[in-house]
Amino acid sequence: MWGDIAIAFLLAFITTFVLTPYTIKIARKIGAVDIPKDERRMHNKPIPKFGGPAIIVGFLLATIYLYITSSIEGNLDLLGVENYMFKLVGFLLGILVLSFVCFFDDIKGIHPLVKLAGQLVAAGIVVAFGIRINNFNLPFFEGNIIIGEVFSIILTIGWLVGITNAINLIDGLDGLSTGIAIISSVSLLIIFALNGSPLIAIIMITSLVGALSGFLPFNFNPAKTFVGDVGSNFIGFTLAVVSILGVAKTATAFIVVLPIIVLGLPIFDTLSAIVRRLIKGKSLKAVMQADKGHLHHKLIAKGFTQKEAVLTLYGISVACGMFAVILFESNIWKAISFALMVIAVVCIGYKEFFKMKEEEKK
């Protein structure tokens, strides 16, 4: 397994790293450029936003190569009881639909409802091909909770669309969504390895880590390129699908909440944005209205530089991932004590940070 992990990471990393400069050139030719035309933009010059295809190609090349070689070696049965081949076809069709819709959003811009419709269609395809949340295990309750087919479909589609938008919405600073996705993916990989999850999920999540790591050097501040809607939607959609495949057959307590904890930062940011927009706009239509109230915007408003804000949010994401791993491997009390210690240290550091900022102004 560890050899497969190394191959998946390196192949995806090298492929994405090599292809990204070409996507920068293509972006300028097709008009996929983010122009700072409003105050929400954190950059002051046009930046290409077509990095998504490089990430997708790197991910798919590594994933497909390892599926083929692992099947030949007899380590992976794609046509077995779980029929992973069928599920993979559904996943590929889903990202094809999603990428097609987001491609037009990157070039010309489309209405948010059109993009949401594309996300729902992509999620529906994945569900139709057998990737579903069928049962789960809750803390302090014995046995799996089996859910009905209709609720299973609704829950899975909600999860897929929700996580896709969570990553998309947090993509507001150089390297932010890419870095948080890497941290979340590594956390899930650790949980999958400890949990004995299917090899198919381990290969996918490792390939995603590799592809994102190959892209990050071009995306970190000062960014040469952005992931764009194609990239951010692909990242979120893939994380959502892999988290289902990785924990689908476990009977371990807390496992149902682990992906939620790992992706806690983008999930919290998305839910708070929905509540904030509903309160401010007093209508469902307001949820679609972009604003400047995301976590990264608030940190910038507090005096953080882009790099400081991004690294701060990276730290929070790492803490969420570590909390999930400790919760899985040890117990809830150890996880809570870890969280309390982190909060205490952050509070001390936060206070000193602003003291330092005030001294710099003087």
Side-chain angles (χ1 to χ4, degrees), residues 101-113:
V101 173
C102 292
F103 173 76
F104 288 100
D105 195 31
D106 279 336
I107 295 177
K108 295 183 178 180
I110 58 176
H111 194 280
L113 287 176

Side-chain angles (χ1 to χ4, degrees), residues 199-243:
L199 183 60
I200 182 175
I202 292 174
I203 289 174
M204 288 178 75
I205 201 69
T206 308
S207 298
L208 185 61
V209 173
L212 292 171
S213 298
F215 180 74
L216 187 59
F218 301 93
N219 186 227
F220 197 73
N221 185 267
K224 298 179 180 66
T225 183
F226 296 151
V227 291
D229 258 37
V230 171
S232 62
N233 277 259
F234 167 77
I235 294 166
F237 193 74
T238 302
L239 277 170
V241 168
V242 176
S243 65

Side-chain angles (χ1 to χ4, degrees), residues 133 135-146 247-248 250-258:
I133 302 171
N135 59 77
F136 52 82
N137 197 297
L138 290 175
F140 312 117
F141 289 90
E142 294 184 1
N144 282 351
I145 297 176
I146 309 297
V247 301
T250 184
T252 306
F254 294 107
I255 200 71
V256 68
V257 299
L258 294 183

Side-chain angles (χ1 to χ4, degrees), residues 1 3 36 40 42 73 244 260 310 312 328:
M1 180 182 75
R40 290 180 59 252
M42 295 291 109
E73 293 171 345
I244 295 174
I260 297 175
V310 168
T312 298
F328 172 75

Side-chain angles (χ1 to χ4, degrees), residues 285-300:
K285 186 179 179 180
V287 176
M288 300 292 178
Q289 301 293 324
D291 61 14
K292 206 175 179 181
H294 292 285
L295 291 174
H296 51 274
H297 288 131
K298 291 179 179 178
L299 289 176
I300 295 294

